[in-house]
Amino acid sequence: MLVRRITRQLISIASRLTAAGLALVPLAADAAPNGTWLSKPQIWFYTSTNTITQTLAGMRAVRYRVVFLDYRNVADPVQQHVAQEARQQGLMPVVWVQSPQYRSMSIPDLVHEARHGDGIQVDDHFFANYTRADFYRLRQLYTKPIFCSIQPFQVALLPPGGCNQLDVQCYTAQTFQQCVKTADRLGAVVSLSTKNTLGYQNSLGTRRFNTFLWPG
């Protein structure tokens, strides 16, 4: 009887020590999804098949917060509809103004292109084809958040201020680790390519990441 009682006490103590030890082990933290893109063909497809709501809900279900929208030549009512659906799903709709079509447009024209979004994104094409004065003109005219996206070699083209959020395009496997270091140095989001670098997501630790494009 005494032996059994001592044995039960030892088992109980061991269980408590094991539980305490497990409580001290930090849980692995996942990288945080930040934003993803919808191209013009994707927007056309999801709206024409009446699946845009489900698509946006799917983004939010995996914890994305921002959807970057390619609105080039997309009809005004469709732009408004997609942006509103994004808001209803808890996503921030940001209009992505990219080249080559936008490269010859004035800054007021770019502001007009982003009229149905809650932010604007200027990417590596913008920084390659517009001046720093152009960017500050955009910052002056556009009162909503500006999302900036660069390739790693474009760090010198970044304005000292004016970007509400920056991402670095880590789209090449061979230079991925160095690209992540650049993003860390700038306090930037890491943008992943679904074709080349999305598989490195688990190596990001707690960093925020974008996905180009939405793979759904």
Side-chain angles (χ1 to χ4, degrees):
M1 181 70 71
L2 178 60
V3 173
R4 288 200 298 270
R5 187 164 63 250
I6 292 173
T7 300
R8 286 197 299 269
Q9 289 173 343
L10 289 173
I11 292 173
S12 177
I13 292 170
S15 298
R16 290 197 298 270
L17 288 173
T18 300
L22 290 174
L24 294 174
V25 177
L27 296 175
D30 294 331
N34 181 74
T36 189
W37 284 262
L38 282 180
S39 67
K40 178 175 63 177
Q42 286 176 312
I43 292 171
W44 282 348
F45 174 77
Y46 291 129
T47 53
S48 64
T49 57
N50 295 316
T51 55
I52 188 66
T53 300
Q54 297 94 307
T55 300
L56 296 167
M59 293 175 185
R60 191 56 186 154
V62 291
R63 299 187 294 130
Y64 285 102
R65 304 182 303 170
V66 178
V67 56
F68 300 106
L69 300 164
D70 179 4
Y71 272 172
R72 292 174 299 168
N73 296 325
V74 174
D76 223 57
V78 177
Q79 292 189 31
Q80 292 175 300
H81 172 66
V82 173
Q84 187 57 32
E85 288 294 325
R87 296 182 190 104
Q88 290 180 358
Q89 297 304 324
L91 294 165
M92 179 181 184
V94 174
V95 178
W96 165 36
V97 291
Q98 57 157 319
S99 283
Q101 181 170 323
Y102 287 138
R103 122 177 2 163
S104 61
M105 297 179 70
S106 69
I107 297 302
D109 287 339
L110 293 182
V111 171
H112 179 72
E113 289 296 311
R115 62 194 178 280
H116 296 307
D118 296 343
I120 190 171
Q121 184 188 52
V122 290
D123 66 3
D124 54 305
H125 296 288
F126 177 93
F127 290 107
N129 293 284
Y130 289 81
T131 67
R132 186 165 291 184
D134 290 328
F135 177 83
Y136 285 124
R137 176 67 170 156
L138 175 66
R139 179 72 283 177
Q140 179 184 32
L141 294 178
Y142 192 75
T143 58
K144 299 176 183 178
I146 297 178
F147 291 71
C148 300
S149 179
I150 61 167
Q151 295 191 48
F153 61 82
Q154 293 181 306
V155 172
L157 298 179
L158 277 176
C163 296
N164 295 95
Q165 185 178 106
L166 171 67
D167 76 71
V168 181
Q169 300 170 19
C170 298
Y171 292 166
T172 304
Q174 292 84 349
T175 60
F176 183 76
Q177 294 303 329
Q178 188 59 44
C179 183
V180 170
K181 291 179 181 179
T182 300
D184 286 346
R185 179 164 56 86
L186 298 172
V189 177
V190 178
S191 279
L192 305 176
S193 161
T194 53
K195 182 178 180 180
N196 297 319
T197 57
L198 186 58
Y200 291 92
Q201 176 182 329
N202 291 336
S203 70
L204 292 177
T206 59
R207 297 177 181 90
R208 291 180 297 160
F209 69 91
N210 293 335
T211 301
F212 183 87
L213 296 161
W214 171 247

